[in-house]
Amino acid sequence: MVFLSFSANVFAESYFTEIVVFGDSLLDSGNFGNDRRATNLLRDGSGDYALISPQIFAEALKLDLEPAIEEGGTNFAVGGYQTADVLNSISGTGVDTEPFGGASTAFLTQRANFVESRALVLINAGGNDLNAIFTSVAPAAVSGAVRERAGNMTLAVQALHDAGARYIMLANVPDLSLVPSVQASIAAGVLDPSFAASISQATTGYNGLLESIPIYSVPAANVIPVDLYGAVNYMLDNAGSYGVANGVMMGLDQRFMCYDGTSPTCVEHPIYGLNGSAPDPRKLIFNDALHPTEFGSEIVADYLIDIVSAPSQIGLLPELAFQAADAQTQVIDLQLRQSRWESAQSKLFISASVGNAEYSGLQMADTDGHGWHIGKTFRMSDTTTLGIVAALGSQDLNLEKIQFSSDFWGISGLLSTHRDNFFLQAQVGFSVMSFDDVRRQVPLGAQTLIAEGSTDGYAVNVKLLSGIDLLSSDIWHFGPAIGAQFSRSVVRGYTEQGGQISNYMWDTQSRDRSNMQLGLIASGDIGDHWRVFAEVFAGEDISDSESFINVKSTQSGSASGFYTMPAFVRDTSASVSASLGGSLTINDLGVLDLGYFYNDAGEGQDHVALSFAIPL
């Protein structure tokens, strides 16, 4: 079983260098000045507004996010903005909220039309456009007007992509028929339900056009879909489980009552509303006629966090395959050392190994593994040995109080040969991983969902080592050695279920390691029964330090294709490794070997192997 969990504090570091936000009041963190936001005031008497979703999201990513009207601010979202205004905030006239707030030049103007490759962009727009269309456009012209407004978002994505943006989160629009202003009007008999149905239909049509942007309009852009439509529906459908007011009261579904009834189009909840008998914004989804309370903002923020964090969780799966391959490598190395300078022997051996590795890239994690190995070597000549080894074991990976596991089996072949003072040894291994039950926790507010699936994978490993003995001694050996290790880890794609708005289809991951090594080796006999060894190597991994994964949202209604997210980052390519151990010859019974290996890659990796070999 594989079990993963995330909270806002488990990012070891953020892959992204900045977050840039464009949109309307749903994302506006204070561009009208005085930190005013379209949500409720906190109940602590401070007079401060609750944080909204992009602020919580940025905090989880350990990134700054200030309103664009402030110096260096990267939140260009403004309440009331339509798609044309959002486009202007990106590449046109900029932001202007005078006399209430301030002004800022357009983002791409500020940046000389250049976006950092690790910038994360979040865009939402369209709700205000659709509201304007509903009230001012003839029914026959609605479709064309909706298409025109979606076209502005296409231009926005194109401009950002052309400037170098590699990660563009594009949010759709919630169902505008499921807001307090519309539902209160229907309950009061002011609005015909059929009109609400047309609002819903137009919203769906607009969202469909947004989904087509990365498929047809800007196919080269990496557009990450954000399903606000699904997020709001999720809150409405699960109001009871969150303890949110629901059921009919005064002829209106309480889910569509608001906290602040200042607006005439919103019915304030008589108990939990601002002027109610027990005011509590966390008991309500909506703050006013359109916008969420802090309860709703937190769920949306958790959803945004999951979009970014889930790939770096699933991105750790290939590392388990590497660890399984490394465990087999260390066991085989223990056997190969026995035949570097001695006459070849046929032996049967059994080994046990344990290992640990720690990571501090996108996720703080560590792996623990153990395995059993059985093998046989064959004497081909006085100087040449061949062998075969089978392995069976498991790996555990720990993420912030959560552990997940996988099982593996493997088969390896080995070769050792020497001539005079030179030796050459090689091994080739193949490991098969089984991830039968990959369970990923998805926190959404006070609820935690489980997104689960299953997959498998494998690792291929090739290691070569050659060296020379500088000592003319039958007892002690010392000299330089050079080696290379090439590994490939593959985890097949799979599709999750159970995560509601946070289910994903994960594409196959393929990751390579190419490590070149240069070092010193030493070994020697102490008496008739003991032999010791020590080795130290400097290594350089020449493979890519960053790995990515292709992801697709499986949320109902999402027709978008795969997008790409960072999955794993190796913090350094250089490493130093050391091995030491010894062997004890037990008369004619056999040889007991013990070896310890340490590598400072990541936050450190170590393996211990114990082997008993019987000469044949």
Side-chain angles (χ1 to χ4, degrees), residues 7-76:
S7 69
N9 297 319
V10 303
F11 280 114
E13 63 182 47
S14 177
Y15 176 84
F16 302 102
T17 54
E18 66 174 343
I19 180 171
V20 187
V21 177
F22 306 96
D24 54 31
S25 54
L26 289 177
L27 302 183
D28 182 357
S29 62
N31 276 313
F32 277 103
N34 299 319
D35 282 333
R36 282 175 289 189
R37 296 183 282 276
T39 188
N40 59 274
L41 291 169
L42 295 172
R43 293 291 299 165
D44 59 6
S46 65
D48 295 333
Y49 288 91
L51 296 179
I52 60 173
S53 56
Q55 294 176 297
I56 303 170
F57 183 38
E59 186 176 295
L61 293 173
K62 304 177 183 177
L63 299 174
D64 294 329
L65 181 65
E66 300 297 335
I69 62 171
E70 299 181 9
E71 185 176 356
T74 56
N75 189 336
F76 292 78

Side-chain angles (χ1 to χ4, degrees), residues 171-184:
N172 62 15
V173 174
D175 189 339
L176 295 179
S177 72
L178 298 177
V179 295
S181 58
V182 174
Q183 291 299 311

